């Protein structure tokens, strides 16, 4: 009960104090620690909250040994359950009594750990973060049950069309690349994972040269430097692991998987350059117009509002370390599936050939610039954004000048970018649902 109350207080204080702050997200600083490690830092003295985001780059699940696929998810599962050390209850009590909010997740390439807490408990926070980044696992019984739970959840989720579509993007779209990995592993690979593997996991992947840090809130530069130096001493200096995906190996696909679900999920994919590319802000604006602006987007308006062929239609850009992926998500049914897919193709063909008009450009600019500062109303949104820009290696100049760059995009610039990246003939498709 105490933990719930503290978390509610944290969320309330975060919203009230950060919203009241007159500082702009672009006022962030880069602080160097003793070992020259850089931390992206946003100081807000009007809040009592500190948010710390860590990411270990090139430490995601594609680095799991081929015969022990699922290792990252087992490690993640036990970390989330705080089944750490010989006496996990002690850690759980410390976290509950002080209201620490901890979130962990892993993707293809990176491992993320986020903390949010009242600055009153900063000294206790060091104990918590030390345990989280250097966890020790002892309980074989819990490990065995974790493997069972992961397999059970995976098999259960295969009946979810959206979940299965995402799995098939990994397996089919990224076929013959390092990304073609099932993060859940399988019965045989999970069976080979030992307590020793888990205890070696953080030592193998959590190295200081892989670490990215972003901190937002009421923490001084001295406190920040002390903390980053504390973290650096806990980690080994270097890890040489890194995989670079060869996107030239990715081929166009059009695959359907039939399951007993009336609602059909259709996903269309298109490779784009990484977030640090000079074209990215233009691509960001293009996606907003095409499918990123909800019901008012071009795709939603044509497929859903005008023709009634879909339940929902939207698109987004998913960024990886070395490239991005544009994904359109269409929810429809057996009756309208073929019509929706064909109209989607025609819409992209027209978009590729005709581009956007001046009115669409100005409306998109107005929204993307106007909503930028409003979005950053909590510490966790600020630190998450700063961490992402660090991982994506976006230049400080581009971050600081983000709104100016968007405002200066011309109609010619944007339509040239559309013709460069949105060739409708290069689209891939994966669909899941009942067609037979």
């Amino acid at each position: 009960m105490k933990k719930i109350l503290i978390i509610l207080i944290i969320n309330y204080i975060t919203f009230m104090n950060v919203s009241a702050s007159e500082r702009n997200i672009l006022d962030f600083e880069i602080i160097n620690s003793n070992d020259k490690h850089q931390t992206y830092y946003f100081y807000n003295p009007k809040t009592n909250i500190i948010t710390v985001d860590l990411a270990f780059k090139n430490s995601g699940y594609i680095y799991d040994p081929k015969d022990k696929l699922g290792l990252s998810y087992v490690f993640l599962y036990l970390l989330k359950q705080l089944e750490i050390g010989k006496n996990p209850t002690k850690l759980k009590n410390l976290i509950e009594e002080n209201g620490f909010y901890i979130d962990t997740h892993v993707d293809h390439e990176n491992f993320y750990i986020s903390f949010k807490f009242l600055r009153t408990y900063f000294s206790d926070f060091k104990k918590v973060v030390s345990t989280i980044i250097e966890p020790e696992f002892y309980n074989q019984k819990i490990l065995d049950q974790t493997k069972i739970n992961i397999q059970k959840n995976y098999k259960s989720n295969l009946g979810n069309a959206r979940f299965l579509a995402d799995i098939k993007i990994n397996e089919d779209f990224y076929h013959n690349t390092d990304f073609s990995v099932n993060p859940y592993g399988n019965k045989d690979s999970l069976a080979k994972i030992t307590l020793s593997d888990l205890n070696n996991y953080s030592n193998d992947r959590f190295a200081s040269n892989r670490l990215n840090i972003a901190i937002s809130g009421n923490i001084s530069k001295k406190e920040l430097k002390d903390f980053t130096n504390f973290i650096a001493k806990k980690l080994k200096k270097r890890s040489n692991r890194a995989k670079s995906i060869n996107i030239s190996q990715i081929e166009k696909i059009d695959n359907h998987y039939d399951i007993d679900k009336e609602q059909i999920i259709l996903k269309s994919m298109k490779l784009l350059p990484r977030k640090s590319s000079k074209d990215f802000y233009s691509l960001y604006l293009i996606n907003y117009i095409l499918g990123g602006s909800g019901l008012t987007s071009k795709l939603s308006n044509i497929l859903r509002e005008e023709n009634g062929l879909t339940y929902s239609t939207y698109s987004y850009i998913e960024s990886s370390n070395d490239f991005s992926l544009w994904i359109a998500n269409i929810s429809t049914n057996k009756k309208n599936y073929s019509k929706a897919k064909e109209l989607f193709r025609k819409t992209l063909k027209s978009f590729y050939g005709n581009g956007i008009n001046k009115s669409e450009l100005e409306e998109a600019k107005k929204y993307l610039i106007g909503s930028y500062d409003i979005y950053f109303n909590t510490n966790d949104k600020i630190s998450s954004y700063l961490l992402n820009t660090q991982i994506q290696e976006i230049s400080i100049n581009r971050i600081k000048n983000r709104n100016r760059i968007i405002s200066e995009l011309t109609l010619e610039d944007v339509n040239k970018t559309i013709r460069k990246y949105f060739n409708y003939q290069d689209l891939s498709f994966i669909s899941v649902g009942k067609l037979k």
Side-chain angles (χ1 to χ4, degrees):
M1 183 66 188
K2 181 181 177 182
K3 180 183 178 183
I4 295 173
L5 181 60
I6 293 176
I7 289 174
L8 288 173
I9 291 171
I10 287 174
N11 287 335
Y12 176 75
I13 293 175
T14 300
F15 176 76
M16 295 300 292
N17 287 337
V18 178
S19 296
S21 174
E22 296 177 359
R23 300 197 70 223
N24 187 290
I25 177 63
L26 298 179
D27 293 333
F28 77 92
E29 300 177 64
I30 297 178
I31 307 298
N32 291 311
S33 62
N34 291 346
D35 64 349
K36 298 183 180 180
H37 192 280
Q38 293 187 329
T39 297
Y40 283 39
Y41 167 59
F42 182 84
Y43 176 57
N44 181 12
K46 293 188 176 182
T47 181
N48 293 316
I49 305 298
I50 298 173
T51 303
V52 177
D53 278 321
L54 311 178
F56 293 94
K57 192 172 180 179
N58 298 324
S59 299
Y61 60 74
I62 65 172
Y63 296 96
D64 291 354
K66 296 300 182 185
D67 62 336
K68 295 182 180 181
L69 295 178
L71 175 59
S72 289
Y73 270 28
V74 172
F75 181 88
L76 183 71
Y77 187 99
L78 292 170
L79 206 59
K80 283 181 176 290
Q81 300 300 314
L82 298 175
E83 294 295 342
I84 304 170
K86 292 182 178 179
N87 184 9
T89 302
K90 185 177 180 180
L91 175 64
K92 292 177 182 179
N93 288 340
L94 175 63
I95 290 172
E96 182 172 350
E97 288 169 4
N98 295 295
F100 289 108
Y101 173 80
I102 304 173
D103 185 36
T104 54
H105 71 280
V106 63
D107 62 21
H108 287 91
E109 298 169 295
N110 311 315
F111 198 103
Y112 305 85
I113 310 173
S114 300
F115 304 89
K116 183 163 67 174
F117 54 95
L118 291 167
R119 69 161 288 116
T120 306
Y121 303 117
F122 185 65
S123 59
D124 288 319
F125 168 64
K126 288 186 177 181
K127 301 175 188 175
V128 173
V129 74
S130 178
T131 305
I132 296 296
I133 65 174
E134 294 183 306
E136 295 180 328
F137 303 95
Y138 294 93
N139 197 315
Q140 183 64 49
K141 184 177 179 180
I142 291 178
L143 171 57
D144 292 339
Q145 187 60 51
T146 296
K147 295 175 184 179
I148 293 171
N149 293 343
I150 288 176
Q151 275 291 286
K152 187 182 296 183
N153 292 339
Y154 173 67
K155 290 177 181 177
S156 174
N157 285 329
L158 288 177
N160 180 304
R162 201 176 303 277
F163 176 86
L164 182 55
D166 288 336
I167 291 294
K168 293 305 177 183
I169 289 177
N170 272 10
E171 294 179 355
D172 297 357
F173 183 72
Y174 290 124
H175 182 62
N176 287 331
T177 74
D178 288 325
F179 273 42
S180 183
V181 171
N182 184 336
Y184 297 88
N186 54 59
K187 186 176 180 179
D188 292 337
S189 66
L190 290 174
K192 295 177 181 178
I193 296 171
T194 66
L195 287 172
S196 178
D197 293 323
L198 295 170
N199 288 322
N200 289 330
Y201 187 96
S202 58
N203 184 58
D204 182 40
R205 306 197 195 193
F206 295 176
S208 59
N209 69 311
R210 299 295 178 202
L211 177 62
N212 296 265
I213 308 178
I215 298 179
S216 174
N218 193 346
I219 177 173
S220 69
K221 291 182 182 179
K222 182 181 183 306
E223 290 172 318
L224 182 147
K225 286 184 177 181
D226 287 345
F227 171 71
T228 54
N229 290 331
F230 169 79
I231 290 289
K233 290 178 182 177
K234 291 286 181 181
L235 303 172
K236 70 175 184 179
K237 295 300 180 184
R238 295 196 62 80
S239 171
N240 295 320
R241 64 172 60 250
K243 294 185 179 182
S244 179
I245 183 170
N246 184 357
I247 60 176
S248 65
Q249 294 176 287
I250 296 177
E251 299 177 352
K252 184 171 66 174
I253 61 168
D254 189 348
N255 299 343
H256 175 76
Y257 293 87
D258 215 78
I259 63 173
D260 191 19
K261 293 291 180 182
E262 295 299 326
Q263 189 171 136
I264 298 173
I265 299 298
L266 171 64
K267 288 180 179 278
S268 181
M269 294 78 68
K270 179 78 179 68
L271 285 170
L272 296 177
R274 64 186 303 194
K275 205 168 184 176
S276 59
S277 162
K278 63 181 179 60
D279 292 328
F280 190 82
Y281 286 136
S282 183
L283 290 165
Y284 184 56
L285 182 143
I286 291 165
N287 176 68
Y288 175 81
I289 294 171
L290 190 54
S293 52
L295 296 177
T296 61
S297 71
K298 188 179 289 289
L299 285 172
S300 182
N301 189 50
I302 293 174
L303 272 71
R304 184 180 187 273
E305 303 303 315
E306 294 180 5
N307 291 277
L309 296 176
T310 65
Y311 302 117
S312 67
T313 306
Y314 60 90
S315 67
Y316 56 95
I317 298 175
E318 186 175 88
S319 294
S320 296
N321 293 352
D322 298 316
F323 67 96
S324 298
L325 186 65
W326 181 77
I327 302 176
N329 194 98
I330 298 169
S331 176
T332 185
N333 55 35
K334 179 179 178 179
K335 177 184 176 182
N336 293 321
Y337 171 80
S338 295
K339 292 179 182 178
K341 188 175 182 180
E342 182 58 28
L343 184 56
F344 174 82
R345 289 182 189 270
K346 288 182 178 179
T347 302
L348 265 293
K349 181 178 181 179
S350 174
F351 189 71
Y352 176 73
N354 301 320
I356 63 172
N357 58 44
K358 185 69 173 177
S359 175
E360 290 172 321
L361 174 65
E362 295 307 319
E363 283 296 315
K365 283 185 184 180
K366 182 179 178 181
Y367 176 82
L368 295 177
I369 293 172
S371 64
Y372 187 62
D373 288 338
I374 297 173
Y375 173 78
F376 297 107
N377 61 357
T378 62
N379 277 325
D380 41 338
K381 287 182 180 178
I382 293 171
S383 59
S384 177
Y385 173 79
L386 293 178
L387 184 73
N388 181 264
T389 59
Q390 192 177 4
I391 292 171
Q392 301 294 333
E393 299 176 359
I394 303 172
S395 73
I396 304 304
N397 182 59
R398 286 185 65 78
I399 299 170
K400 298 281 188 180
N401 292 287
R402 181 258 194 197
N403 285 351
R404 180 185 61 78
I405 293 171
I406 291 176
S407 69
E408 292 178 356
L409 288 172
T410 67
L411 192 62
E412 182 182 4
D413 292 333
V414 175
N415 285 332
K416 186 183 294 184
T417 304
I418 291 173
R419 288 189 292 273
K420 183 177 180 180
Y421 294 108
F422 279 88
N423 187 337
Y424 63 96
Q425 295 178 321
D426 294 337
L427 294 169
S428 286
F429 293 92
I430 285 179
S431 57
V432 178
K434 190 174 183 179
L435 282 181
K436 297 179 180 178

